[in-house]
Amino acid sequence: MSNPRADRVRDVAKLAGRPARLKTGRFVAEGPQAVREALLSHRANVQSGGTGVVLEVFATQSCLERLPELSDLAADVSLRLATDEVIGAMATTISPQGIVAVCRIQDYDLDEVLASGARLIAVLCEVRDPGNAGTILRAADSAGADAVVLTSSSVDIHNPKAVRSTAGSLFHLPVVTGVEFDFLMSAFRAHGLTVLAADGYGNVDLDRLQDESAIRCLAPAHTGSDDDGPAAASGAAPGASQPRLENSTAWLFGNEAQGLSDAQLADADYRVAVPVYGRAESLNVGTAATVCLYASARAQNR
């Protein structure tokens, strides 16, 4: 393909906009890392009898010569050679890396995800920045979370910037989108998950929870807490029952500017603060999410 103004090129370029993604159920992954992970997921799905993720790939000759494994991975999808100008017209980055893939948006059902025995879930509540959303999804993947959920008012995770920020993790775990918060909480309760709200003003200290989890691991006879499930009220005062990080958990992460709303905090079983030992006022939501998810992952994998 050599004409950057061809209709097919324009159709791919339109997927940078939400209306086209909603209409077609497709999105674009750009760059070798994202496309590689998309193709690996595609192959795994097809081999297990599922539906493939990747619909077509466009790449420059120089990209395929530099990264020949991409040609091998794309053996069972439509792979078309394109000029740098065509890739530039399809991509949204200033300096495209020579390859884009048109992918199918995968729909996941929340109840099915929970019924599969999910033990660690990251929830994005009104997270609007695509970079932060992608960072949290990547952190959830790295921590071995079972799923990521975005509430109905959060950013579109298939936004090109969000897709790039996930560094391919978008293709590694179920991502449930457009869920109403009240329905989400009911589903968590029904499946016995403890709901922890990441809150800088929370009265449960994350470091203390990690210490207690380690004590229970090293000395099983020491319980450290009589509480195995959700508390009746939001939050926990010092000395009161504490959540167990090793239990099945859903973490709530709030909007970049306002954090979690009062109603969302009230619906959580506990409000957990990441201690700040330096002079920073607070942590970026992506950083806080990484710390919280790894704390749970560490406890669950001991």
Coordinates of all heavy atoms in Angstrom, one line a residue, residues 20-73:
A20 N -15.9 5.9 15.7 CA -15.6 4.8 14.8 C -15.4 3.5 15.5 O -15.7 2.4 15.1 CB -14.4 5.1 14.0
R21 N -14.8 3.6 16.7 CA -14.5 2.3 17.5 C -15.9 1.7 17.9 O -16.0 0.5 17.9 CB -13.6 2.6 18.7 CG -12.2 3.0 18.3 CD -11.3 2.9 19.5 NE -11.6 3.9 20.6 CZ -11.2 5.1 20.7 NH1 -10.4 5.6 19.7 NH2 -11.6 5.9 21.7
L22 N -16.8 2.6 18.4 CA -18.1 2.1 18.8 C -18.9 1.5 17.7 O -19.6 0.5 17.8 CB -18.9 3.2 19.4 CG -18.4 3.8 20.8 CD1 -19.2 5.0 21.2 CD2 -18.5 2.7 21.9
K23 N -18.8 2.1 16.5 CA -19.5 1.6 15.3 C -19.0 0.3 14.8 O -19.7 -0.6 14.4 CB -19.4 2.7 14.2 CG -20.2 2.3 13.0 CD -20.1 3.4 11.9 CE -20.9 3.0 10.7 NZ -20.8 4.1 9.6
T24 N -17.7 0.1 14.8 CA -17.1 -1.0 14.2 C -16.7 -2.1 15.2 O -16.4 -3.3 14.8 CB -15.8 -0.6 13.4 OG1 -14.8 -0.1 14.3 CG2 -16.1 0.4 12.3
G25 N -16.5 -1.8 16.4 CA -16.0 -2.7 17.4 C -14.6 -3.1 17.2 O -14.1 -4.1 17.6
R26 N -13.8 -2.1 16.7 CA -12.4 -2.3 16.4 C -11.6 -1.2 17.0 O -12.1 -0.1 17.2 CB -12.2 -2.4 14.9 CG -13.0 -3.5 14.2 CD -12.8 -3.5 12.7 NE -13.5 -4.7 12.1 CZ -13.4 -5.0 10.8 NH1 -12.6 -4.2 10.0 NH2 -14.1 -6.0 10.3
F27 N -10.3 -1.4 17.1 CA -9.4 -0.4 17.6 C -8.0 -0.7 17.0 O -7.8 -1.8 16.4 CB -9.3 -0.3 19.1 CG -8.6 -1.5 19.8 CD1 -7.3 -1.4 20.2 CD2 -9.3 -2.7 20.0 CE1 -6.7 -2.5 20.8 CE2 -8.7 -3.8 20.6 CZ -7.4 -3.7 21.0
V28 N -7.1 0.2 17.1 CA -5.8 0.1 16.5 C -4.7 0.0 17.6 O -4.7 0.7 18.6 CB -5.4 1.3 15.6 CG1 -4.0 1.3 15.2 CG2 -6.3 1.3 14.4
A29 N -3.8 -1.0 17.4 CA -2.6 -1.1 18.3 C -1.4 -0.7 17.4 O -1.3 -1.2 16.3 CB -2.5 -2.6 18.7
E30 N -0.6 0.2 18.0 CA 0.5 0.7 17.2 C 1.9 0.2 17.8 O 2.0 0.2 19.1 CB 0.5 2.2 17.2 CG -0.7 2.8 16.6 CD -0.7 4.4 16.7 OE1 0.5 4.9 16.7 OE2 -1.7 5.0 16.8
G31 N 2.9 0.0 17.0 CA 4.2 -0.3 17.5 C 4.5 -1.8 17.7 O 3.5 -2.5 17.9
P32 N 5.7 -2.2 17.6 CA 6.1 -3.6 17.7 C 5.6 -4.3 18.9 O 5.1 -5.4 18.9 CB 7.6 -3.6 17.5 CG 7.9 -2.3 16.8 CD 6.9 -1.3 17.2
Q33 N 5.8 -3.6 20.1 CA 5.4 -4.3 21.4 C 3.9 -4.6 21.4 O 3.5 -5.7 21.7 CB 5.8 -3.4 22.5 CG 5.4 -3.9 23.9 CD 6.1 -5.1 24.4 OE1 7.1 -5.5 23.8 NE2 5.6 -5.8 25.4
A34 N 3.1 -3.6 21.2 CA 1.6 -3.8 21.2 C 1.2 -4.8 20.2 O 0.4 -5.7 20.5 CB 0.9 -2.5 21.0
V35 N 1.7 -4.7 19.0 CA 1.3 -5.6 17.9 C 1.7 -7.1 18.2 O 1.0 -8.0 18.0 CB 1.8 -5.2 16.5 CG1 1.5 -6.2 15.5 CG2 1.2 -3.8 16.2
R36 N 2.9 -7.2 18.8 CA 3.4 -8.5 19.1 C 2.5 -9.2 20.2 O 2.1 -10.4 20.0 CB 4.8 -8.4 19.7 CG 5.4 -9.8 20.1 CD 6.8 -9.7 20.8 NE 7.8 -9.1 19.9 CZ 8.3 -7.9 20.0 NH1 7.8 -7.0 21.0 NH2 9.2 -7.5 19.1
E37 N 2.1 -8.4 21.2 CA 1.3 -9.0 22.2 C -0.1 -9.3 21.7 O -0.8 -10.3 22.1 CB 1.2 -8.1 23.4 CG 2.5 -7.8 24.1 CD 3.3 -9.1 24.4 OE1 2.7 -10.0 25.0 OE2 4.5 -9.2 24.1
A38 N -0.6 -8.5 20.8 CA -1.9 -8.7 20.1 C -1.9 -10.0 19.3 O -2.8 -10.8 19.4 CB -2.3 -7.5 19.3
L39 N -0.8 -10.2 18.6 CA -0.7 -11.4 17.8 C -0.5 -12.7 18.6 O -1.1 -13.7 18.3 CB 0.5 -11.3 16.8 CG 0.3 -10.2 15.7 CD1 1.6 -10.0 14.9 CD2 -0.7 -10.8 14.7
L40 N 0.2 -12.6 19.7 CA 0.4 -13.7 20.6 C -1.0 -14.1 21.2 O -1.3 -15.3 21.3 CB 1.4 -13.4 21.7 CG 2.9 -13.4 21.3 CD1 3.7 -12.8 22.4 CD2 3.3 -14.8 20.9
S41 N -1.7 -13.1 21.6 CA -3.1 -13.3 22.2 C -4.0 -13.9 21.1 O -4.8 -14.8 21.4 CB -3.7 -12.0 22.7 OG -5.0 -12.2 23.2
H42 N -3.9 -13.4 19.9 CA -4.7 -13.9 18.8 C -4.4 -15.4 18.6 O -5.3 -16.2 18.5 CB -4.3 -13.1 17.5 CG -5.0 -13.6 16.3 ND1 -6.2 -13.1 15.8 CD2 -4.6 -14.6 15.4 CE1 -6.5 -13.7 14.7 NE2 -5.6 -14.6 14.4
R43 N -3.1 -15.7 18.5 CA -2.7 -17.1 18.3 C -3.2 -18.0 19.4 O -3.8 -19.1 19.1 CB -1.2 -17.2 18.1 CG -0.7 -18.7 18.0 CD 0.8 -18.7 17.7 NE 1.1 -18.2 16.4 CZ 2.3 -18.2 15.8 NH1 3.3 -18.6 16.5 NH2 2.5 -17.7 14.6
A44 N -3.1 -17.6 20.6 CA -3.5 -18.4 21.8 C -5.0 -18.6 21.7 O -5.5 -19.7 22.0 CB -3.1 -17.7 23.1
N45 N -5.8 -17.5 21.4 CA -7.2 -17.7 21.4 C -7.7 -18.6 20.3 O -8.6 -19.4 20.5 CB -7.9 -16.3 21.1 CG -7.8 -15.4 22.3 OD1 -7.3 -15.8 23.4 ND2 -8.4 -14.2 22.2
V46 N -7.1 -18.5 19.1 CA -7.5 -19.4 18.0 C -7.1 -20.8 18.3 O -7.9 -21.7 18.0 CB -6.7 -18.9 16.7 CG1 -6.9 -19.9 15.6 CG2 -7.3 -17.5 16.2
Q47 N -6.0 -21.1 18.9 CA -5.6 -22.4 19.2 C -6.5 -23.1 20.2 O -6.6 -24.3 20.3 CB -4.1 -22.5 19.7 CG -3.1 -22.2 18.5 CD -1.7 -22.1 19.0 OE1 -1.4 -22.0 20.2 NE2 -0.7 -22.2 18.1
S48 N -7.1 -22.2 21.1 CA -8.0 -22.8 22.1 C -9.4 -22.8 21.6 O -10.3 -23.1 22.4 CB -7.9 -21.9 23.4 OG -8.3 -20.6 23.2
G49 N -9.6 -22.5 20.4 CA -11.0 -22.6 19.8 C -11.7 -21.3 19.9 O -12.9 -21.3 19.6
G50 N -11.1 -20.2 20.3 CA -11.8 -18.9 20.5 C -11.7 -18.1 19.3 O -11.2 -18.5 18.2
T51 N -12.1 -16.8 19.4 CA -12.1 -15.9 18.4 C -10.8 -15.1 18.4 O -10.3 -14.6 19.4 CB -13.3 -14.9 18.5 OG1 -14.5 -15.6 18.5 CG2 -13.3 -13.9 17.3
G52 N -10.2 -14.9 17.2 CA -9.0 -14.2 17.1 C -9.1 -12.7 17.4 O -10.2 -12.1 17.3
V53 N -8.1 -12.1 17.9 CA -8.1 -10.7 18.3 C -7.7 -9.8 17.2 O -8.3 -8.7 17.0 CB -7.1 -10.5 19.5 CG1 -7.1 -9.0 19.9 CG2 -7.4 -11.4 20.7
V54 N -6.8 -10.2 16.3 CA -6.2 -9.3 15.3 C -6.9 -9.6 14.0 O -7.1 -10.7 13.5 CB -4.7 -9.6 15.1 CG1 -4.2 -8.6 14.0 CG2 -4.0 -9.3 16.4
L55 N -7.4 -8.5 13.3 CA -8.1 -8.6 12.0 C -7.1 -8.4 10.9 O -7.2 -9.1 9.9 CB -9.2 -7.6 12.0 CG -10.3 -7.8 13.0 CD1 -11.3 -6.7 13.0 CD2 -11.1 -9.1 12.8
E56 N -6.2 -7.5 11.0 CA -5.2 -7.2 9.9 C -4.1 -6.4 10.5 O -4.2 -5.7 11.4 CB -5.9 -6.5 8.7 CG -6.7 -5.3 9.0 CD -7.4 -4.8 7.8 OE1 -7.1 -5.1 6.7 OE2 -8.4 -4.0 8.0
V57 N -2.9 -6.6 9.8 CA -1.7 -5.9 10.2 C -1.2 -5.2 9.0 O -1.1 -5.7 7.8 CB -0.7 -6.9 10.7 CG1 0.7 -6.2 11.0 CG2 -1.2 -7.6 12.0
F58 N -0.7 -4.0 9.2 CA 0.0 -3.2 8.2 C 1.4 -2.9 8.7 O 1.6 -2.4 9.8 CB -0.8 -1.9 7.9 CG -2.2 -2.1 7.5 CD1 -3.2 -2.2 8.4 CD2 -2.6 -2.2 6.1 CE1 -4.5 -2.4 8.1 CE2 -3.9 -2.4 5.8 CZ -4.9 -2.5 6.7
A59 N 2.4 -3.2 7.8 CA 3.8 -3.0 8.3 C 4.7 -2.5 7.1 O 4.4 -2.9 6.0 CB 4.3 -4.2 8.9
T60 N 5.7 -1.8 7.4 CA 6.7 -1.5 6.4 C 7.7 -2.7 6.3 O 7.9 -3.5 7.2 CB 7.5 -0.2 6.8 OG1 8.2 -0.5 8.1 CG2 6.6 1.0 7.1
Q61 N 8.3 -2.7 5.1 CA 9.3 -3.7 4.8 C 10.4 -3.7 5.8 O 10.9 -4.7 6.3 CB 9.8 -3.6 3.4 CG 10.8 -4.7 3.0 CD 10.1 -6.1 2.9 OE1 9.0 -6.2 2.3 NE2 10.7 -7.1 3.5
S62 N 10.9 -2.5 6.1 CA 12.0 -2.3 7.0 C 11.7 -2.8 8.4 O 12.5 -3.4 9.1 CB 12.5 -0.8 7.0 OG 11.4 0.0 7.5
C63 N 10.5 -2.6 8.8 CA 10.1 -3.1 10.2 C 10.1 -4.6 10.2 O 10.6 -5.2 11.2 CB 8.7 -2.6 10.5 SG 8.0 -3.2 12.1
L64 N 9.6 -5.2 9.2 CA 9.5 -6.7 9.2 C 10.9 -7.3 9.0 O 11.2 -8.4 9.6 CB 8.7 -7.2 8.0 CG 7.2 -6.8 8.2 CD1 6.4 -7.3 7.0 CD2 6.6 -7.3 9.5
E65 N 11.8 -6.6 8.3 CA 13.2 -7.1 8.2 C 13.9 -6.9 9.6 O 14.7 -7.8 9.9 CB 13.9 -6.3 7.2 CG 13.5 -6.6 5.7 CD 14.1 -5.7 4.7 OE1 14.8 -4.8 5.1 OE2 13.9 -6.0 3.5
R66 N 13.6 -5.9 10.3 CA 14.2 -5.6 11.6 C 13.7 -6.6 12.7 O 14.4 -7.0 13.6 CB 14.0 -4.2 12.0 CG 14.7 -3.7 13.3 CD 14.5 -2.3 13.5 NE 13.2 -1.9 13.9 CZ 12.3 -1.3 13.1 NH1 12.6 -1.0 11.9 NH2 11.1 -1.0 13.6
L67 N 12.4 -6.9 12.5 CA 11.7 -7.8 13.5 C 11.0 -8.9 12.8 O 9.8 -9.0 12.7 CB 10.7 -7.0 14.3 CG 11.3 -5.8 15.1 CD1 10.2 -4.9 15.6 CD2 12.1 -6.3 16.3
P68 N 11.7 -9.9 12.3 CA 11.1 -11.0 11.5 C 10.1 -11.8 12.2 O 9.3 -12.5 11.6 CB 12.4 -11.8 11.0 CG 13.4 -11.5 12.0 CD 13.2 -10.1 12.4
E69 N 10.2 -11.9 13.6 CA 9.3 -12.7 14.3 C 7.8 -12.2 14.2 O 6.9 -13.0 14.3 CB 9.7 -12.7 15.8 CG 9.4 -11.4 16.6 CD 10.6 -10.5 16.5 OE1 11.5 -10.6 15.6 OE2 10.7 -9.6 17.4
L70 N 7.7 -10.9 13.8 CA 6.3 -10.4 13.6 C 5.7 -11.0 12.4 O 4.5 -11.2 12.4 CB 6.4 -8.8 13.5 CG 6.8 -8.1 14.8 CD1 6.9 -6.6 14.6 CD2 5.9 -8.4 16.0
S71 N 6.5 -11.2 11.4 CA 5.9 -11.9 10.2 C 5.4 -13.3 10.5 O 4.4 -13.7 10.1 CB 7.0 -11.9 9.1 OG 7.3 -10.6 8.6
D72 N 6.2 -14.0 11.3 CA 5.9 -15.4 11.7 C 4.6 -15.4 12.5 O 3.7 -16.2 12.3 CB 7.0 -16.0 12.5 CG 8.3 -16.2 11.7 OD1 8.2 -16.2 10.4 OD2 9.4 -16.2 12.3
L73 N 4.5 -14.4 13.5 CA 3.3 -14.4 14.3 C 2.0 -14.0 13.5 O 0.9 -14.4 13.9 CB 3.5 -13.3 15.4 CG 4.5 -13.7 16.5 CD1 4.7 -12.6 17.5 CD2 3.9 -14.9 17.3

